[in-house]
């Protein structure tokens, strides 16, 4: 196995718990702005997460959960406009510091930077959402920590398609066997594994804890910190209690 060179991170659910109190709330605000009586409850949103991408999620909602809605002639533009409103609300929420990074994320990124590991992002969310989250919840300069930020519509087929991971690795001119991917969801694991990454580390959250993570080598409830460690859901963490570079190197070498 080649030496570990790069860490590729999903964003939503992995870097930060953005879905329930972030994206979902922003969608509902956009619906209200547009005069729609749609309300995505915490429970319904869990079902809608089956589909990645906000525009795709609105369409999925109309196709399966709100079939009686009288659709405008130009449904595509209607969805694009609605989604723009949602993005504005979401980025405003982030600018107010509404959503913190998950446990261990900042520490691990800093450790990786110190030893010169290459960092990238592979996400389905809109690029401006990634910028706002990194800037306001991680560090004012954090966008610059990542060599490649692969996000949103840059590839037409979103997760679980492998395209976004493949695109990120192409930009880095790097092969999958020197990468570890960080994910929180079944669709994310499918995408990373489909792109050839055999070392996928999952940190679950409330929406994803029951997902099928087949293909992920290690599933934890969080990256954790010394003294506030992770719980192992599946895989071998080698007795460690938080994710650091030593664990990642062992994990990668053993795959
Ligand atoms: C994340 C998503 C995103 C967000 C919404 O999936 O599905 O669509 O919910 O973002 P993953 P946009 O973590 O697997 O990348 O509304 O900007 O699309
Ligand atoms: Mg995710």
């Amino acid at each position: 196995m080649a030496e570990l060179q790069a860490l590729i991170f999903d964003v939503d659910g992995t870097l930060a718990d953005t879905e329930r109190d972030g994206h979902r709330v922003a969608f509902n605000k956009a619906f209200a702005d547009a005069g729609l009586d749609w309300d995505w409850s915490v429970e319904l949103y869990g079902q809608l997460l089956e589909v990645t991408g906000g525009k795709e999620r609105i369409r999925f909602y109309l196709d399966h959960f709100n079939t009686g809605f009288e659709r405008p002639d130009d449904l595509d533009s209607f969805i694009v406009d609605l989604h723009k409103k949602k993005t504005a609300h979401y980025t405003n929420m982030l600018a107010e510091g509404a959503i913190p990074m998950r446990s261990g994320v900042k520490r691990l990124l800093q450790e990786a930077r110190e030893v010169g590991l290459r960092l990238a992002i592979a996400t389905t969310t809109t690029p401006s959402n990634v910028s706002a989250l990194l800037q306001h919840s991680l560090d004012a300069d954090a966008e610059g920590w990542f060599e490649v930020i692969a996000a949103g519509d840059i590839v037409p087929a979103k997760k679980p398609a492998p395209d976004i991971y493949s695109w990120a690795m192409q930009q880095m001119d790097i092969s999958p066997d020197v990468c570890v991917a960080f994910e929180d969801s079944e669709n994310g694991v499918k995408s990373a594994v489909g792109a050839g990454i055999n070392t996928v580390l999952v940190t679950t959250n409330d929406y994803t804890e029951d997902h099928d993570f087949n293909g992920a080598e290690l599933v934890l409830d969080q990256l954790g910190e010394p003294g506030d460690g992770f719980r192992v859901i599946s895989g071998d963490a080698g007795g460690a209690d938080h994710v650091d570079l030593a664990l990642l190197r062992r994990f990668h070498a053993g795959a």
Side-chain angles (χ1 to χ4, degrees):
M1 166 62 78
E3 199 181 333
L4 175 64
Q5 289 179 31
L7 309 181
I8 310 182
F9 289 85
D10 169 49
V11 173
D12 295 302
T14 301
L15 294 184
D17 253 325
T18 49
E19 295 291 5
R20 191 190 65 187
D21 301 328
H23 289 293
R24 183 186 69 89
V25 174
F27 277 114
N28 283 333
K29 287 183 177 184
F31 302 154
D33 287 351
L36 299 164
D37 64 356
W38 308 353
D39 178 25
W40 287 4
S41 67
V42 170
E43 205 247 312
L44 171 63
Y45 195 68
Q47 294 174 265
L48 298 175
L49 282 173
E50 184 180 331
V51 169
T52 65
K55 294 187 288 293
E56 293 80 356
R57 191 166 296 142
I58 293 170
R59 193 179 294 274
F60 179 66
Y61 167 72
L62 290 176
D63 287 346
H64 297 277
F65 297 87
N66 191 355
T67 49
F69 176 67
E70 201 173 313
R71 300 177 177 213
D73 290 340
D74 188 349
L75 184 63
D76 288 353
S77 313
F78 172 79
I79 290 176
V80 166
D81 286 349
L82 203 49
H83 189 251
K84 274 192 190 136
K85 292 187 174 72
K86 176 260 169 177
T87 299
H89 281 297
Y90 181 68
T91 51
N92 284 340
M93 290 166 70
L94 291 175
E96 288 161 9
I99 301 181
M101 288 284 127
R102 292 190 68 183
S103 166
V105 167
K106 185 167 190 178
R107 173 190 50 76
L108 186 64
L109 287 170
Q110 280 168 331
E111 285 177 24
R113 276 162 49 76
E114 274 163 28
V115 299
L117 277 179
R118 299 170 71 183
L119 299 175
I121 277 176
T123 176
T124 63
T125 204
T126 304
S128 55
N129 296 347
V130 183
S131 306
L133 181 74
L134 295 179
Q135 192 186 335
H136 298 292
S137 303
L138 184 55
D139 186 280
D141 298 323
E143 268 186 278
W145 298 6
F146 295 89
E147 183 179 333
V148 169
I149 296 184
D153 299 330
I154 201 156
V155 292
K158 293 187 176 170
K159 298 176 187 178
D163 304 35
I164 196 76
Y165 275 97
S166 299
W167 191 89
M169 289 188 287
Q170 248 164 34
Q171 296 298 304
M172 298 169 88
D173 195 17
I174 204 169
S175 61
D177 61 333
V178 297
C179 300
V180 168
F182 294 78
E183 275 290 349
D184 71 303
S185 72
E186 184 172 342
N187 281 331
V189 171
K190 281 190 179 143
S191 174
V193 170
I197 302 179
N198 292 321
T199 44
V200 182
L201 190 158
V202 169
T203 46
T204 62
N205 54 61
D206 285 353
Y207 274 135
T208 67
E209 58 191 2
D210 296 327
H211 282 193
D212 176 356
F213 295 117
N214 188 25
E217 292 287 316
L218 187 57
V219 182
L220 310 169
D221 69 336
Q222 59 174 356
L223 297 178
E225 293 286 8
D228 172 28
F230 53 62
R231 183 169 57 84
V232 179
I233 296 166
S234 70
D236 180 7
D241 78 334
H242 65 281
V243 176
D244 60 8
L245 293 187
L247 182 153
L248 287 184
R249 288 212 168 91
R250 281 198 310 274
F251 171 57
H252 180 259

